[in-house]
Amino acid sequence: MKKYITFFGALIITFINVVLVASWLIDVQYKIDETALNQKYQLPLNLKIDYWGTDISLNDYGVVLVDNSDFLVLHKNKRIATEQIVLGELDSICFNHNKVWVVSRQDKLRTTVEVKANHQVIINDNVEKISKDNCISLKDPELISWLKHKNSTFIDLSSLTIILLISLFINLYLIRSFLHNLKSKRADGFIC
């Protein structure tokens, strides 16, 4: 009976180890890509692109614009100034060294919003003056995937590594115990 418990314990721990190794590999790849992606999606005015789904807030905003202290600057369904224009999904961001323009789409309506240095948000009537050189599509699957992963990682890489090593050690111990029990049963069988 003991050998069956040991066998099933080793089997369960092996399955857990496979899941932990997969999570560890995903986190390592994320850490490798994070620097390049931070550089690729870097904005001026201490602004960052983030993803706020239902796991982050009560409102599912999707892609949002936040400041460097993660304060929400711009998101869908936001009313702007006295015009009372409600933004749709944030579609793209264009920027130069001192201005950021956010293009929002709701159905077929397109709204362009300018974010100034003090994070003041205003409607930009001069759409043609937007710098097209530095534009980021907020529908980019790579960006969405990166932002969702960044917000869904619950265990940091060092903690995950420690958990994985402990789990591997327990797994090796259980496998060794199972093999030892198997050998001792065979030895007992030959003696009789």
Side-chain angles (χ1 to χ4, degrees), residues 118-179:
N118 58 358
H119 298 165
Q120 178 187 5
V121 177
I122 58 169
I123 301 291
N124 183 10
D125 296 327
N126 299 323
V127 177
E128 66 278 354
K129 290 188 178 179
I130 292 178
S131 169
K132 300 280 186 203
D133 297 335
N134 297 316
C135 286
I136 298 170
S137 169
L138 299 178
K139 307 284 188 217
D140 180 8
E142 180 186 39
L143 172 66
I144 301 293
S145 170
W146 173 59
L147 292 172
K148 282 183 176 180
H149 182 82
K150 186 171 85 166
N151 289 333
S152 67
T153 304
F154 300 111
I155 303 175
D156 64 349
L157 193 57
S158 58
S159 299
L160 187 60
T161 303
I162 291 169
I163 292 169
L164 180 60
L165 290 174
I166 290 170
S167 181
L168 285 172
F169 177 75
I170 292 170
N171 194 23
L172 290 174
Y173 176 76
L174 289 173
I175 290 171
R176 186 179 157 277
S177 295
F178 174 72
L179 292 176

Side-chain angles (χ1 to χ4, degrees), residues 23-31 149 153 155-157 160:
S23 297
W24 188 82
L25 289 173
I26 289 169
D27 278 356
V28 166
Q29 186 62 43
Y30 168 75
K31 290 293 183 189
H149 182 82
T153 304
I155 303 175
D156 64 349
L157 193 57
L160 187 60

